[in-house]
Amino acid sequence: MRTPLLQDDAYLAKLRAVGLTWPPSTEEALIGEAHLICYDLTWGWQPQTIADDIHDHLNKRGVTLLDVGTMVDAAHKTYCPGNVCDAPTLCT
């Protein structure tokens, strides 16, 4: 099921607000990653573990761990605020 566009727009706006950029036509992949973050939180993954896992794949593209932490936090706040996220530095 596709999330409402307002949620997607809010998520992407949070990423842009901290200076993150991405290639054209990759927004759908970023939104999909956000949903995977929520899924991982549901299954009890720690936010730092999620961020480290994503960073392993995106580091070679110049995405920093801080950037990935922003993605984890924004995904949590936008798509799954009820999921447990007990890492104050990643999910506030």
Side-chain angles (χ1 to χ4, degrees):
M1 181 170 106
R2 178 105 168 99
T3 58
L5 290 178
L6 291 177
Q7 272 187 308
D8 295 345
D9 291 343
Y11 174 69
L12 296 172
K14 287 177 184 179
L15 299 182
R16 284 186 191 101
V18 296
L20 294 179
T21 60
W22 46 87
S25 304
T26 59
E27 290 179 345
E28 189 172 323
L30 283 170
I31 292 164
E33 188 69 46
H35 289 284
L36 290 174
I37 290 167
C38 290
Y39 180 80
D40 290 344
L41 287 169
T42 299
W43 282 98
W45 283 41
Q46 296 299 311
Q48 186 65 55
T49 303
I50 297 168
D52 290 341
D53 186 56
I54 295 169
H55 185 247
D56 284 345
H57 299 289
L58 296 180
N59 183 38
K60 61 185 158 241
R61 294 190 176 129
V63 179
T64 69
L65 188 56
L66 181 61
D67 293 341
V68 173
T70 299
M71 290 172 60
V72 171
D73 183 50
H76 178 255
K77 287 179 179 174
T78 305
Y79 296 107
C80 52
N83 289 24
V84 174
C85 190
D86 59 359
T89 60
L90 289 179
C91 297
T92 55

